[in-house]
Amino acid sequence: MKQKTFSDLTKHSIRASLLFLILLLFETNHSALYAQDTDFWFVAPQLSNSFYSPVFFSISNGTAMEAHVTITLYNGGSIETINRTIPAASSSKIDFISDVAMAKVQNPRALAGAVTQYGIHITSDVKVFAYYMINSSDSRDIYTLKGKQAVGTDFFVPIGPDGVKFINQITYTDAFDQIDIVATNDNTQVTVTPTAPVYIAATATPPAAAYTSPAGTPIV
């Protein structure tokens, strides 16, 4: 049997590395395609009770055709629509800067535990990318909307402890966790089964009596 030389091993290593790179690029592009769609449902969480948190949508049209996009804000039952025509290979930014404008978008924490009408529906006649961005100096974030890939019937949600500690070790009692769910069909029934005791309350640190469900007990 012919013994492999260092040159042979090097060539094999290069081939393996190139194959890995090709597979990685394929998977990256494949995952990116999940975010490109014509139909998006979203519900925007309320970021804070005290921080000023302007938000905006960014819609990107990567196709060779003009995109006609409609954003429907259910706005607590007072439906409002925003229409944008986005040229090929272009994007559009839709800002919500004032407190009044942000209130049309965010699902109020004060209504936790109740069915609200603060869903957001985005449609387009060609496939686009849609992003929801929080432009606060205290907490910046970006949500990549996933279109049909985000619609399902079974989800797991990671949740952190109340009171977020930053580098300076200051605990912000205003911090809270919130699961926001938007139904895409009428008469949808949702059940949430927590793995730890949870409460439904509008305050950040409710008394023990405010716990509404022990671990493992479904909340419908």
Side-chain angles (χ1 to χ4, degrees):
M1 178 181 293
K2 181 182 177 181
Q3 188 175 11
K4 290 185 177 180
T5 64
F6 177 77
S7 178
D8 293 331
L9 293 174
T10 301
K11 290 178 181 178
H12 177 75
S13 177
I14 292 174
R15 290 194 190 101
S17 298
L18 287 173
L19 178 60
F20 174 77
L21 181 60
I22 292 171
L23 291 174
L24 180 62
L25 290 173
F26 173 79
E27 180 59 29
T28 300
N29 290 332
H30 188 61
S31 299
L33 290 176
Y34 287 159
Q36 190 178 26
D37 215 328
T38 59
D39 192 88
F40 304 85
W41 283 93
F42 183 64
V43 56
Q46 181 183 357
L47 180 64
S48 172
N49 287 329
S50 57
F51 292 158
Y52 177 62
S53 309
V55 298
F56 63 91
F57 282 100
S58 178
I59 313 296
S60 177
N61 177 16
T63 71
M65 298 177 290
E66 189 175 73
H68 301 91
V69 177
T70 298
I71 301 176
T72 302
L73 308 174
Y74 284 86
N75 188 22
S78 179
I79 298 177
E80 183 175 323
T81 58
I82 300 171
N83 297 300
R84 288 288 187 274
T85 298
I86 307 174
S90 302
S91 63
S92 178
K93 181 184 177 188
I94 301 94
D95 284 297
F96 300 89
I97 298 176
S98 68
D99 289 336
V100 174
M102 288 186 290
K104 296 179 180 181
V105 180
Q106 297 180 345
N107 191 28
R109 183 195 182 198
L111 299 179
V115 176
T116 67
Q117 290 181 295
Y118 283 90
I120 300 168
H121 191 201
I122 301 175
T123 59
S124 173
D125 58 348
V126 299
K127 287 189 175 184
V128 295
F129 294 96
Y131 306 93
Y132 176 77
M133 301 186 185
I134 299 170
N135 194 28
S136 167
S137 59
D138 299 290
S139 180
R140 296 181 185 273
D141 211 341
I142 178 171
Y143 297 78
T144 302
L145 279 59
K146 296 294 186 180
K148 297 180 182 66
Q149 294 295 327
V151 179
T153 58
D154 191 46
F155 300 89
F156 288 87
V157 182
I159 292 179
D162 283 340
V164 177
K165 289 187 177 181
F166 294 91
I167 296 175
N168 56 9
Q169 294 301 301
I170 296 176
T171 299
Y172 291 84
T173 57
D174 180 50
F176 55 86
D177 297 301
Q178 181 172 316
I179 299 175
D180 294 275
I181 302 168
V182 59
T184 60
N185 295 298
D186 292 334
N187 303 315
T188 298
Q189 180 171 313
V190 177
T191 300
V192 178
T193 304
T195 58
V198 297
Y199 55 81
I200 299 175
T203 56
T205 54
Y211 282 92
T212 60
S213 180
T217 301
I219 303 171
V220 179

